[in-house]
Amino acid sequence: MRLRLVPQDTAWDFMKYRKFTFGASIVAMIASVIIWLSVGLNFGIDFLGGTTIRTESTQAVDVGSYRDALNPLELGDVVITEVSDPTFRADQNVALIRIQAQDGAEAVTPETITAVEGALRGLDPEITFPSVESVGPKVSGELITTALLAVSASLVAILFYIWLRFEWQFSVGAVAALFHDVILTIGVFSLLQIRFDLATIAAILTIIGYSINDTVVIFDRLRENLIKFKKTPLIDVMNKSVNETLSRTLMTSGTTILALVALIVLGGDVIRGFVFAILWGVLVGTYSSVYVAKNVVLMLGVDRDPKKPSDAGTQFANIDA
């Protein structure tokens, strides 16, 4: 007997509450932008420039004492964060010390790092420094520009591909869903103040790829059904297409989520932000494939006449069919 997450033939009305779900998506996007502008992102060292020092000690981390020990060095903006992780030993206490790039210098100098380590050893002789990462302000600025270009280029490429593969309405719907996913991810990172660095950008690009894959699968079935059921209202064809691909969607998303949850629990704090971004992206990406992309296509309408020669997207549909 085969295991099924959903019945073989479902007829759930996914579009019944389309106005509510689409409105909720718009509200969530607006809220994400407001939080982003008012709270800001917790940029990692990749984007801010400066140095991050990771410390480990058998003694409990006292952020106030660490700060008092570093104040005489006059390092400017210093952020000290205690790191907790279920994989740490009981006597493993970890902290991250982020020091801003000093004026007139590309990065914190080795002498400054030595002074920081000496000040902390005076507080705790057994403290160790497993890693030190430095990025100059010029490099961090270039990384921000490159990251924005990478995300923008991926959206433009997807817009063009979907336009050729289907119709322009499908293209707009797909990119609207991806834009929704990216904005909500940035909003959550801003709200929870999770570190936003190059790994997060990689996660966002992964989210875009995952979300568009799910969207294209449903679009492909929708295109086939539009040819089969030419007289059926578009909203009913959409519901049928989502139901027919529901088992595949839940199986793919479910197995991916299981792997990501395992990574969040057991993977350690270094990759937690990256994994959380992908996990969140899988959830909102699955949602947006149905309730954002399809809503946009429904509002724009689709040309149901396959013989119209001026419709390049429909010509592609006939070739594939």
Side-chain angles (χ1 to χ4, degrees), residues 7 9 29 40 42 49 87 163 169 252 261 277 317:
D9 297 315
M29 291 176 65
N42 179 23
T87 61
W163 190 354
Q169 297 95 328
T252 304
V261 169

Side-chain angles (χ1 to χ4, degrees), residues 39-44 48 79 98 189-190 193-197:
V39 178
L41 291 168
N42 179 23
F43 285 114
L48 285 180
V79 178
R98 189 171 66 197
F189 267 69
S190 178
Q193 285 296 288
I194 302 172
R195 187 174 59 184
F196 194 92
D197 51 20

Side-chain angles (χ1 to χ4, degrees), residues 15 27 39 41 46 82 103 108 110 113 119 126 135 146 159 177 181 184 229 246 254 267-268 278 280 284 302 312 314:
M15 308 303 288
V27 170
V39 178
L41 291 168
D46 298 335
E82 183 177 2
D103 294 336
V108 176
I113 295 174
E126 297 182 358
V135 177
T146 304
L159 177 71
D181 299 343
L184 260 60
F229 308 100
L246 183 60
I278 297 180
W280 170 258
V284 298
V302 177
T314 306

Side-chain angles (χ1 to χ4, degrees), residues 70-264:
L70 298 178
N71 280 339
L73 300 179
E74 298 182 352
L75 299 174
D77 184 23
V78 177
V79 178
I80 304 173
T81 306
E82 183 177 2
V83 179
S84 59
D85 193 286
T87 61
F88 288 168
R89 304 184 309 273
D91 62 345
Q92 186 178 9
N93 300 286
V94 179
L96 290 178
I97 301 173
R98 189 171 66 197
I99 306 170
Q100 70 176 22
Q102 305 299 297
D103 294 336
E106 279 297 302
V108 176
T109 63
E111 291 78 11
T112 301
I113 295 174
T114 301
V116 170
E117 292 177 352
L120 293 176
R121 283 199 178 98
L123 186 67
D124 179 4
E126 297 182 358
I127 196 170
T128 59
F129 305 92
S131 66
V132 178
E133 301 176 2
S134 295
V135 177
K138 180 179 179 181
V139 175
S140 64
E142 294 174 351
L143 291 175
I144 292 175
T145 302
T146 304
L148 291 174
L149 288 175
V151 175
S152 301
S154 65
L155 292 176
V156 171
I158 289 170
L159 177 71
F160 184 69
Y161 167 76
I162 300 296
W163 190 354
L164 292 180
R165 178 69 175 163
F166 300 97
E167 297 181 19
W168 70 267
Q169 297 95 328
F170 289 77
S171 181
V172 174
V175 172
L178 296 180
F179 191 72
H180 164 274
D181 299 343
V182 171
I183 292 298
L184 260 60
T185 300
I186 293 175
V188 167
F189 267 69
S190 178
L191 178 64
L192 301 180
Q193 285 296 288
I194 302 172
R195 187 174 59 184
F196 194 92
D197 51 20
L198 281 180
T200 310
I201 296 297
I204 289 176
L205 292 174
T206 304
I207 291 168
I208 290 174
Y210 186 95
S211 180
I212 195 61
N213 178 66
D214 195 38
T215 301
V216 166
V217 168
I218 301 177
F219 275 174
D220 201 49
R221 183 58 60 89
L222 174 60
R223 183 186 57 182
E224 294 175 1
N225 287 335
L226 284 173
I227 297 173
K228 286 184 190 177
F229 308 100
K230 296 179 182 179
K231 302 300 182 181
T232 305
L234 178 58
I235 188 171
D236 294 333
V237 179
M238 284 186 169
N239 265 323
K240 182 176 181 60
S241 301
V242 175
N243 276 284
E244 288 178 350
T245 57
L246 183 60
S247 179
R248 178 262 174 203
T249 297
L250 292 180
M251 184 65 72
T252 304
S253 300
T255 52
T256 304
I257 289 172
L258 286 177
L260 292 173
V261 169
L263 283 174
I264 280 187

Side-chain angles (χ1 to χ4, degrees), residues 21-22 37 123 132 199 210 270 297 308:
T21 56
F22 194 66
L37 296 177
L123 186 67
V132 178
Y210 186 95
V270 176
V297 175
K308 187 176 179 181

